[in-house]
Amino acid sequence: QVQLVESGGGLVQAGGSLRLSCAASGRTFSSYSMGWFRQTPGKEREFVGAITGSGGFRSYADSVKGRFTISRDNAKNTVTLQMNMLKAEDTANYYCAANPNRLASSSDSTYYNYWGQGTQVTVSS
């Protein structure tokens, strides 16, 4: 089992940057593929990006490709989401998620077994 805690959210102007972090408990962090999702009130959770256990494969939603970068540091049990050129439509609560299959990540939220509590990102236009 793994526990996830996100941090780094806040208020930023359009065009700015934020870096979200997700800290994981446990000694087998590299065994988990990780995903980032976001959600706004009244809408379904939306895929943002994902990364396999070794970090060798990353995937992104089309809406963030070229602006967001997902990475991980298995020695520090963290996964980060660097968000650049932020837009008002990026405003959401951002969640990290984990699945104990290091070889495969997914854009499907139901694939992930563990979730953090979320961190709010607000982009002002």
Side-chain angles (χ1 to χ4, degrees):
Q1 194 170 6
V2 63
Q3 293 183 324
L4 305 172
V5 179
E6 302 95 336
S7 61
L11 174 64
V12 63
Q13 288 188 331
S17 298
L18 276 177
R19 184 178 179 90
L20 304 185
S21 292
C22 174
S25 65
R27 296 177 293 177
T28 58
F29 179 64
S30 61
S31 298
Y32 292 83
S33 59
M34 302 295 296
W36 281 98
F37 290 79
R38 64 188 183 187
Q39 190 171 24
T40 54
K43 292 188 177 181
E44 292 190 357
R45 200 160 286 189
E46 176 190 19
F47 172 70
V48 175
I51 189 168
T52 51
S54 66
F57 181 76
R58 309 173 196 194
S59 58
Y60 299 94
D62 288 342
S63 59
V64 307
K65 227 173 257 186
R67 301 188 297 123
F68 290 12
T69 302
I70 188 170
S71 60
R72 67 188 295 158
D73 185 338
N74 287 338
K76 296 182 179 179
N77 282 18
T78 58
V79 60
T80 60
L81 183 69
Q82 178 66 44
M83 307 186 294
N84 299 328
M85 297 181 287
L86 282 161
K87 306 175 182 179
E89 50 263 44
D90 294 320
T91 295
N93 205 6
Y94 283 71
Y95 299 87
C96 67
N99 178 288
N101 180 354
R102 63 182 179 86
L103 298 178
S105 57
S106 176
S107 61
D108 184 350
S109 63
T110 63
Y111 177 78
Y112 296 91
N113 307 86
Y114 306 102
W115 292 83
Q117 83 290 347
T119 185
Q120 178 67 36
V121 171
T122 303
V123 183
S124 63
S125 56

